[in-house]
Amino acid sequence: MHLALTDQILKEVEKPARYIGGEINAIHKELCDAMIRFAMCFPDIYEIGMSHLGAQIIYAMLNEREDVWCERVYSPWTDLHKIMKEQKIPLFALESQDPVKDFDFLGITLQYEMCYTNVLQILDLSGISMFSADRNNDDPVVIGGGPCAYNPEPIADFFDLFYIGEAETGYDALLDLYKTHKMSGKFDRNEFLHEAGKLPGIYAPKFYQTHYGADHTLTSFKPIYEDLPHTIKKAVCMDLNDAPYITKPIVPYLKVTQDRATLEIQRGCIRGCRFCQAGMIYRPVRERDEKKLETLAREMLENSGHEEISLSSLSSSDYSALPELVNYLIEYAGEQRVNISLPSLRIDAFSLDVMRRVQDIRKSSLTFAPEAGSQRMRNVINKGLTQEDILKGAGDAFLGGWTRVKLYFMLGLPTETDEDLLAIPLLCNEIAKLYYELIPKEQRKGRVQIVASSSFFVPKPFTPFQWAAMDKREDFLRKAAFVNHAMHEQLNARSIKYNWHDASVSELEGILARGDRRLSAVLLYAYEHGALFDAWTETFHKEPWDEAFLKTGIDPAYYIHRERSTDEILPWDFIDIGVTREYLMREWEKAQNGVTTPNCRDHCNGCGAAVFGGGICYAH
Amino acid sequence: MRIRMKFSKRGSLKYIGHLDTMRYFQKLMRRAGIPIAYSNGMSPHQIMSFALPLGIGDESVGEYADIELTGSVSSTDALAALAACSAPGIEILSFKALPDDAKNAMSSVEAADYEIGFTNDPDLSAFSTFFAQNEIVVLKKTKKSENMIDIKPFIFQYRVAEDRIFLRLKCGSVNNTKPELVMDAFYQYLGIDFDENLLKIKRLDLLTVNGQDFISLNDIGLEI
């Protein structure tokens, strides 16, 4: 088969298998004039991109259409990036190895803000104009989607379209429209984009105008054409049982991050943690039928030969048929010698029993995500997990033979005090203490191992904390040092390990998450001065970013360090996720008063997601 | 029952490394429904071993893997099932039952045949004078040490064709001699810079010793 890269280049770069395609179940089609060519890009390296479920679903779904050939594109790693720039080799798609520039669409999934410079790399290496405004009829239509499309504004200038919401419902209409325009023989890019902008869930950013006031905040945001919508309502797939899913997963040669079949059991989350964007944007909760999942599991495993299957969803313990599904999988896995990789489950008698059946207790650990140390703080963030829950779960697990506990926390949450921070080491110590109380000396095999990790809280759009000020870098580092010091003061300090990260990336993530269109200049400058693979510790460099803010005169503090007033127009307000702004404001108010909100299954809180007409909102 | 499979690895699949090739085969066995045996223990794995790793970027028409079966399957059926779910580029060429006393591929391999092509046209006619030296001393680097060794005894045979060289080299657990090492020495002898990325290496077969002779690893088993 023809490869885009020469033998000499492939022998020079690290892991050449990233660039050759040809995997089992990759889809190849005969090209013809009527074929719509869609390049589906995950802007990170192959091993990360190939592990992403959503992109695989879109790949399967688009290739179901006879008139579409969807291929894959990933970011060339820095070694190949350099060679491609030097030798002017255009970026190519894996299946056909043809240049991305020859495609009709370039779809880019936006899973985290720190991939934005990689998006620019994709455009740059493809030879596509960076800015939508500069593109002509021969360029692919560049469309973005995924969670970061819920605030597309920082990257709006680089995209022709955004798909807001779940891909399963709206791509057919978009592709049909494109086909009509393409086959008419007089394709006009702007005309197509204008028409596309009227479709449900589609946002065509170049046709919207922003105005800013003296205080830099938005004063208006509106379409330049009368016939374009003022708000874009997210697309939601209400029947997951009928929705396209992967039955023939591509089997990578390289060991990718998630080297297994993945079953998405449900979408959405009933919990309503106030920091969590996914918990709001994927409402309402919709489950896949358990029998359907059994069939999908068998098909995926048989067609791929994978030795492992994992379950995917937010808060998997809340899936109503979890015991049936897990029991089925354990039985099937036993016959077929398939491993089951469990999602993090609420620790209780059921999950401990399941863990015992599928994992080696000596090797596995328990995971808790209290997110905050004190009950007051957990009430603020609406994390319905109490110290009693954690100690009960840990105690049962210790008696069952487990000796390792992982705990996840966030620092810098709204209203946080030193007392709340101190509660983190105290909780860790309590867990360690419990182990030594419950397990007699002669039965212990060494110390209990408690690993606590903290991340820095980054406020995200469409959460009750979207108005909150983010901590400064110095505050973050002081807090981490404070927690670290207090960890060492604990009686059981030798059983506890504490990890935290640098705050620079969190700050940038914060800026980009709640950013607006003015940031495109910063992004372009940073990319052109060497920023790439910012999500990777080894390749993240702060310098090009610092310089970019200085040169463009944009003040990062405006985006992260100020609390926004609830009457401010936010850059993402034009998107309608079903959950209303009023609901988020109510939650923000309740958070500040430390008042909790019950989960959707126990009580409907009227968030607005019922507007979609299904899911848990109508299950009562 | 123990089975020996011979397979080729060609085209773009030459860029799949050894560990990835092993993982590919594990999944292939599952897709094809080959009744392969698993080890015992908490994390059972397929009983499968490969004769000799192949360098990334090298092609081969003579690779070997041994597996153990729990059930029976005919060579014809197994080859058909494997072909139906193989990637183009990796072709299973034979599927034979090993005699009970046969050593596994990894411990029996003694020599490998290579065909070496070039992208920079060195003067291959000099190879015979190069080989006529009393000794061919090279610096062999391992993870632990660097040693000067004479590799001439490990070059069992050579043949120079118009634009390529055929080599039969010692391989296995001791004195494993890679073709790049021989070519590095040859280029030094010619006095030109060596870049192993400019070689086109194809492994033709793996061999074991039977009395005085080398025989192909493929000649050990019988079709079932």
Side-chain angles (χ1 to χ4, degrees), chain A residues 3 6-8 10-12 16-17 20 22 24 251-256 259 302-307 336-338 359-360 363, chain B residues 12-16 20 23-24 26-27 30-31 38-39 42-44 46 56-57 85-88 195-201:
Chain A
L3 295 177
T6 62
D7 274 350
Q8 204 178 344
L10 286 164
K11 285 179 182 178
E12 212 174 302
I20 60 173
I24 296 288
V251 189
Y253 295 111
L254 283 179
K255 189 161 174 56
V256 299
D259 179 28
E302 280 166 18
N303 292 330
S304 63
H306 277 311
E307 289 121 332
Q336 303 293 322
R337 297 179 185 274
V338 170
Q359 297 167 343
D360 185 346
K363 288 181 193 154
Chain B
S12 53
L13 294 196
K14 67 184 175 192
Y15 293 111
I16 310 303
D20 293 331
R23 290 180 339 100
Y24 169 83
Q26 285 157 12
K27 294 183 186 194
R30 303 177 62 90
R31 285 196 300 275
Y38 281 77
S39 66
M42 193 65 198
S43 47
Q46 295 179 354
I56 289 191
C85 42
S86 286
D195 177 356
E196 64 175 52
N197 290 346
L198 296 178
L199 299 176
K200 288 191 283 188
I201 298 173

